Amino acid sequence: MMWKDLPTPCYVADEKKLKENLRILQKLEKDTGCHVLLAQKAFSMFSLYPMIGTFISGTTASGLYEARLGREEMGKENHVFAPAYKEADMKELVKICDHIVFNSFRQYEKYKELCKQSAQIREDGKPVSVGIRVNPECSTQEGHEIYDPCGPGSRLGVTKAEFREDLLEGVEGLHFHTLCEQDADDLVITFRAFEEKFGKYLKKMKWLNLGGGHHITRPGYQLKQLKQLIAYIRATYQVEVYLEPGEAIALNAGYLVTEVQDIVKNGMEILILDASAACHMPDVLEMPYRPPLRGGYEPGEKTYTYRLSSMTCLAGDVIGDYSFEHPVAIGDRLVFEDMAIYSMVKNNTFNGMPLPGIALLKEDGTVEMIKTFGYEDFKERLS
């Protein structure tokens, strides 16, 4: 299949770019001895898990379903963190996860005995390794507070004031996750704050998980600084180091192909696409941000400027304003870039909008259709 034959809307993962990202992460593991895990909350195209698993150590999950997916489809290291766990879920998680991270000591106390007994019910006969997520209370983010775990009143992670040194028996690791699309210098700042508050406890641990939000595969990322930090942690505290990038694995490695359905005028020309910000790229509205568009420029930069919107009834379902060198016509196809991350995992069928298909752009330039969705996929989510 070729690009022109794809149904729209359609997500397309770029195999070549994915492998380029994964080679960077593979080398990071080799050079530092760290473990890199795919954060499935960002990218869960499980048909690619066998390939991804040849480069990195495993997966990390935000709950039971992701944990099952990682176990079933990649089958390597399998970690999980959630703000809280249901009892029925925990009974399964201790069987399939290698690390379980708790968000509070209350949760740990609730499931401590179950974790202790896990070796008796696990296929590998090894007990699950337990960790506590901490909050260094060191915010390094600007402009997207919705993704700041160190913001005021955050529910994520135990603060120093709430940390229970008396309940550390059985705890083997500490975890913090504070970054979002950031460089190594912000991680260093965060680690210093963590070290000041929790360093004495880290000396008693087997591992430290630095969470995600590291833009490791972005050009210009401070890779040398990251390697130096990992080396310092391993040498000083004698612990294994884990990183959980999601975006870094699939950064700039996917597209959303859409077709122009109509053009309306109201002060400017507005393109009605069969792709939706609200349904197919929710971060455009949540972050918010303006996704890159192949052949698209800043409004007014080129001769023809349009507002790109969708077929839903939501007035604010606007992707953004873009200019083009040539007029856009009904039936033209547009390609949004960097659409592998936080797109497939967050999409929805509001207004009965169809879910985009999922395809793979292979290294030889051909496109393989992995999955299509229809009415039954919409209907079966309801009752």
Side-chain angles (χ1 to χ4, degrees):
M1 179 182 286
M2 303 306 291
W3 274 89
K4 63 181 178 61
D5 301 316
L6 283 172
T8 60
C10 188
Y11 300 117
V12 183
D14 188 325
E15 184 179 43
K16 180 180 179 181
K17 182 59 182 173
L18 275 166
K19 288 184 177 180
E20 289 174 2
N21 290 341
L22 287 163
R23 288 188 186 101
I24 294 172
L25 298 170
Q26 183 183 49
K27 189 172 188 303
L28 176 66
E29 284 201 342
K30 182 180 178 181
D31 291 348
T32 67
C34 75
H35 304 246
V36 176
L37 308 173
L38 165 64
Q40 297 176 90
K41 62 184 178 183
F43 184 68
S44 296
M45 190 172 168
F46 61 85
S47 60
L48 298 177
Y49 280 17
M51 180 271 287
I52 294 172
T54 64
F55 291 91
I56 61 173
S57 293
T59 54
T60 186
S62 300
L64 175 59
Y65 289 173
E66 283 186 357
R68 286 184 58 181
L69 188 67
R71 172 64 179 265
E72 293 170 4
E73 301 298 333
M74 192 177 297
K76 299 188 71 178
E77 285 196 60
N78 197 25
H79 298 210
V80 65
F81 163 80
Y85 299 99
K86 292 186 175 182
E87 190 166 346
D89 293 353
M90 182 55 65
K91 289 178 179 179
E92 186 169 354
L93 288 169
V94 295
K95 296 179 183 179
I96 64 174
C97 290
D98 302 295
H99 287 195
I100 296 178
V101 178
F102 292 98
N103 190 56
S104 71
F105 281 96
R106 181 179 287 109
Q107 279 273 294
Y108 172 51
E109 285 187 284
K110 180 177 181 179
Y111 297 117
K112 181 177 180 178
E113 290 305 314
L114 186 58
C115 291
K116 277 185 177 180
Q117 299 164 10
S118 60
Q120 303 169 24
I121 57 176
R122 290 171 60 88
E123 291 181 1
D124 59 11
K126 298 178 182 178
V128 66
S129 186
V130 169
I132 296 291
R133 176 167 176 169
V134 298
N135 181 350
E137 299 176 89
C138 175
S139 180
T140 57
Q141 297 189 39
E142 293 182 8
H144 36 71
E145 289 77 10
I146 190 174
Y147 290 109
D148 185 0
C150 289
S154 172
R155 73 189 188 284
L156 299 172
V158 180
T159 63
K160 179 65 168 64
E162 297 297 320
F163 198 82
R164 295 287 303 275
E165 187 173 357
D166 59 312
L167 295 178
L168 286 179
E169 180 189 357
V171 176
E172 296 186 334
L174 296 178
H175 173 292
F176 67 82
H177 169 46
T178 68
L179 305 184
C180 178
E181 300 181 351
Q182 288 169 273
D183 288 319
D185 56 352
D186 287 326
L187 177 60
V188 171
I189 291 169
T190 303
F191 179 78
R192 287 173 182 161
F194 160 82
E195 188 175 34
E196 181 182 347
K197 292 181 173 71
F198 303 101
K200 66 177 182 179
Y201 308 120
L202 185 59
K203 293 178 180 178
K204 305 174 183 178
M205 300 296 156
K206 293 182 178 180
W207 52 265
L208 173 65
N209 190 319
L210 302 176
H214 320 284
H215 248 197
I216 299 167
T217 55
R218 178 179 51 75
Y221 178 85
Q222 302 146 331
L223 198 55
K224 181 179 178 181
Q225 220 171 324
L226 175 62
K227 291 180 179 180
Q228 290 173 339
L229 176 62
I230 294 172
Y232 167 79
I233 295 170
R234 296 195 69 197
T236 305
Y237 295 99
Q238 304 297 309
V239 292
E240 293 294 322
V241 175
Y242 290 85
L243 296 104
E244 301 179 335
E247 288 199 18
I249 287 170
L251 187 65
N252 297 315
Y255 316 96
L256 177 59
V257 184
T258 180
E259 185 175 285
V260 180
Q261 304 299 308
D262 197 7
I263 303 175
V264 300
K265 292 184 179 180
N266 184 357
M268 66 184 303
E269 290 193 297
I270 305 167
L271 307 183
I272 308 297
L273 309 178
D274 59 2
S276 158
C279 297
H280 306 146
M281 44 178 107
D283 269 1
V284 170
L285 303 182
E286 287 182 12
M287 282 288 278
Y289 85 108
R290 181 178 179 275
L293 177 68
R294 183 175 295 175
Y297 299 84
E298 292 294 327
E301 184 177 350
K302 299 298 180 180
T303 307
Y304 304 94
T305 294
Y306 301 88
R307 176 160 293 166
L308 276 55
S309 190
S310 84
M311 295 164 60
T312 72
C313 71
L314 178 64
D317 193 354
V318 173
I319 300 164
D321 294 353
Y322 297 79
S323 67
F324 300 80
E325 293 179 329
H326 307 285
V328 178
I330 295 171
D332 284 353
R333 291 192 164 197
L334 304 179
V335 179
F336 291 98
E337 299 176 332
D338 198 22
M339 280 290 120
I341 51 178
Y342 292 108
S343 53
M344 291 176 252
V345 295
K346 296 182 79 168
N347 62 21
N348 62 79
T349 58
F350 171 65
N351 268 193
M353 285 286 285
L355 294 172
I358 299 175
L360 177 65
L361 174 61
K362 301 179 76 67
E363 290 184 284
D364 64 6
T366 61
V367 180
E368 177 186 355
M369 200 69 208
I370 303 297
K371 190 166 185 178
T372 57
F373 302 90
Y375 169 69
E376 291 302 322
D377 298 289
F378 162 71
K379 182 180 179 181
E380 290 305 315
R381 294 178 66 251
L382 307 170
S383 63

